[in-house]
Amino acid sequence: MTTPAAPTPERKAEPTPPATPRTPRSWLRDHSELGVGALLLALGVLVLNDALTMDVDITQRGPVGPKTVPVVVGVGLLVVAALLAVDVLRGGRGQAETGEDVDLGEPADWRTVLLLSGVFLGSAVLIEPLGFPVAGALLFWGAAYTLGSRRVDRDPLIAAVLSLAAYALFDKLLGVPLPGGPLMGVL
């Protein structure tokens, strides 16, 4: 035996909140990834412009000339910029990083940033008078020290080996002339 269910009172429809007007600023905030696309577009145009206006001697040209790689990179940047813009305009959103263990409530470590900037600028100033091997070793060792390594028995040696290896790779193997400084005759 079933009993008839008691009539339920009719629910009144809750009023919908008034729609907030969309401003250009809020639209841009929702589509902020378009800024990355614009940066990639600008870089692509810059790379293509430089590549296509490059003055190349016809006698140095082989089947693949010096313009090939910059043109490929420039076209690749333009394609990625276009694909990113289409994805963002279709509603795609970048995923928030979940793997970082960063407390956003903590202030930035400006001491480390300033020390790294000083090490980098110092090596840029010293590269001409001291040469790349010495300035590069100071750069590698200074960066390691600034980032927390305090192994003074090991770090300068590793920095010197890395700097000499980079010098040999670029200057000797790739043919990119780097200033040798006082070590020019030795290396």
Side-chain angles (χ1 to χ4, degrees):
M1 185 154 122
T2 61
T3 58
T8 59
E10 279 190 38
R11 290 186 184 174
K12 291 185 178 180
E14 293 181 17
T16 58
T20 57
R22 302 279 303 174
T23 63
R25 188 175 202 168
S26 66
W27 187 87
L28 284 174
R29 187 176 301 121
D30 291 341
H31 298 87
S32 61
E33 290 93 348
L34 288 175
V36 175
L39 178 67
L40 291 174
L41 175 72
L43 284 174
V45 168
L46 180 69
V47 168
L48 276 177
N49 182 43
D50 283 349
L52 295 177
T53 58
M54 185 185 303
D55 187 27
V56 178
D57 187 14
I58 195 70
T59 59
Q60 297 176 348
R61 201 168 158 185
V64 176
K67 291 184 179 185
T68 305
V69 172
V71 168
V72 169
V73 169
V75 169
L77 285 168
L78 293 178
V79 168
V80 169
L83 292 173
L84 178 63
V86 167
D87 181 52
V88 169
L89 292 174
R90 286 185 175 176
R93 300 280 303 171
Q95 295 293 325
E97 290 188 34
T98 58
E100 292 290 327
D101 188 20
V102 176
D103 185 9
L104 296 177
E106 291 292 319
D109 186 9
W110 289 107
R111 178 183 178 274
T112 302
V113 171
L114 292 174
L115 283 173
L116 278 175
S117 299
V119 166
F120 179 74
L121 291 174
S123 68
V125 169
L126 294 174
I127 197 168
E128 193 61 41
L130 296 180
F132 182 84
V134 175
L138 290 173
L139 170 69
F140 292 137
W141 180 62
Y145 185 84
T146 300
L147 293 174
S149 179
R150 299 295 185 257
R151 298 284 310 263
V152 293
D153 58 333
R154 172 189 73 179
D155 292 344
L157 180 62
I158 293 173
V161 169
L162 281 174
S163 181
L164 288 172
Y167 178 77
L169 174 73
F170 282 97
D171 194 64
K172 304 300 181 198
L173 294 177
L174 297 176
V176 177
L178 294 174
L183 299 176
M184 186 62 110
V186 177
L187 301 174

